[in-house]
Amino acid sequence: KNQVEQSPQSLIILEGKNCTLQCNYTVSPFSNLRWYKQDTGRGPVSLTIMTFSENTKSNGRYTATLDADTKQSSLHITASQLSDSASYICVVSANPGGYNKLIFGAGTRLAVHP
Amino acid sequence: IAGITQAPTSQILAAGRRMTLRCTQDMRHNAMYWYRQDLGLGLRLIHYSNTAGTTGKGEVPDGYSVSRANTDDFPLTLASAVPSQTSVYFCASSVQAGTNEQFFGPGTRLTVL
């Protein structure tokens, strides 16, 4: 069964600190993996996309990694800001027979405190 | 430039009532989607449309219907709402079906009593 599991469920950190969010997936056949940021009361917005051959991708203070062998991805946030408070959703795309099917994780809720 | 808009923002509805959630995009995207988001669960696909005039069932389609008369609009209808349909509903679109960057609307919070 295609699944995406994220950890931790929630996280509280102090402003300026770093943190790492985890995503484990059992999705086949794997197409790509995307991290979304969802602010409270808003729709998700894409942060990064990673394909099978990519190990690391950065977007400002956000760095995503992908290990396709162990089927794990992480999202590292550097020097956190109050505006980083949001839910972060890992989305894996499967491609069974040419159709892209998205499997969403439940998200990690991050709170950055001053 | 609005992107994707949804209406209403929130709604409280009596069980058994009919309700249509509206979704409009101005990006000329071919594909559109409806998801529901429940606490502790990932977004789940209700229905999708790969192009105007076509629709398909997602993971949780029961109790919902959609239509796609034109490129811009993709309304979601609950024919007879039930409390288990209490959720936050997101509309999304992508340039093409299979292009997996989806752009999401702001959501509609629906409560069925």
Side-chain angles (χ1 to χ4, degrees), chain B residues 56-79:
Chain B
K57 293 183 179 180
E59 182 185 355
V60 288
D62 294 344
Y64 306 95
S65 64
V66 292
S67 62
R68 186 91 183 276
N70 57 60
T71 297
D72 298 345
D73 301 301
F74 191 41
L76 176 74
T77 297
L78 290 67

Side-chain angles (χ1 to χ4, degrees), chain A residues 13-21 58-64 75-84 88 110 112:
Chain A
I13 62 174
L14 294 176
E15 187 179 12
K17 297 296 186 182
N18 303 336
C19 68
T20 300
L21 314 180
S58 292
N59 177 3
R61 294 179 298 101
Y62 300 101
T63 299
L75 181 69
H76 185 76
I77 303 174
T78 304
S80 61
Q81 301 177 357
L82 298 179
S83 59
D84 292 331
Y88 291 85
L110 175 66
V112 180

Side-chain angles (χ1 to χ4, degrees), chain B residues 74-98:
Chain B
F74 191 41
L76 176 74
T77 297
L78 290 67
S80 179
V82 296
S84 62
Q85 291 178 311
T86 293
S87 187
V88 181
Y89 291 86
F90 287 98
C91 180
S93 71
S94 62
V95 174
Q96 299 288 349

Side-chain angles (χ1 to χ4, degrees), chain A residues 15-81:
Chain A
E15 187 179 12
K17 297 296 186 182
N18 303 336
C19 68
T20 300
L21 314 180
Q22 300 291 343
C23 173
N24 296 340
Y25 62 92
T26 53
V27 175
S28 181
F30 175 87
S31 179
N32 56 54
L33 183 148
R34 191 181 290 271
W35 284 91
Y36 280 86
K37 179 186 179 188
Q38 184 177 19
D39 292 314
T40 300
R42 301 286 191 97
V45 175
S46 178
L47 286 174
T48 69
I49 179 173
M50 303 191 73
T51 59
F52 187 86
S53 59
E54 295 176 305
N55 299 118
T56 303
K57 184 170 282 188
S58 292
N59 177 3
R61 294 179 298 101
Y62 300 101
T63 299
T65 65
L66 174 64
D67 186 332
D69 291 331
T70 62
K71 298 187 178 181
Q72 295 179 325
S73 176
S74 65
L75 181 69
H76 185 76
I77 303 174
T78 304
S80 61
Q81 301 177 357

Side-chain angles (χ1 to χ4, degrees), chain A residues 9 32-34 36 38 41-46 49 89 91-93 98-107 109, chain B residues 33 35 37 39-45 48 50 57 59 88 90 97-107 109:
Chain A
Q9 212 169 27
N32 56 54
L33 183 148
R34 191 181 290 271
Y36 280 86
Q38 184 177 19
R42 301 286 191 97
V45 175
S46 178
I49 179 173
I89 302 172
V91 184
V92 181
S93 176
Y99 167 73
N100 254 5
K101 175 182 170 67
L102 300 186
I103 298 95
F104 289 79
R109 186 178 298 274
Chain B
Y33 315 84
Y35 293 91
Q37 186 175 40
L39 198 62
L41 299 177
L43 279 87
R44 292 181 292 169
L45 182 66
Y48 64 91
N50 289 340
K57 293 183 179 180
E59 182 185 355
V88 181
F90 287 98
T99 304
N100 83 325
E101 177 166 14
Q102 295 185 10
F103 297 83
F104 287 82
R109 182 175 294 275

Side-chain angles (χ1 to χ4, degrees), chain B residues 18-30:
Chain B
R18 180 184 179 90
M19 176 73 192
T20 295
L21 308 185
R22 299 186 298 279
C23 174
T24 300
Q25 52 104 358
D26 63 2
M27 298 178 284
R28 307 305 293 171
H29 284 176
N30 280 312

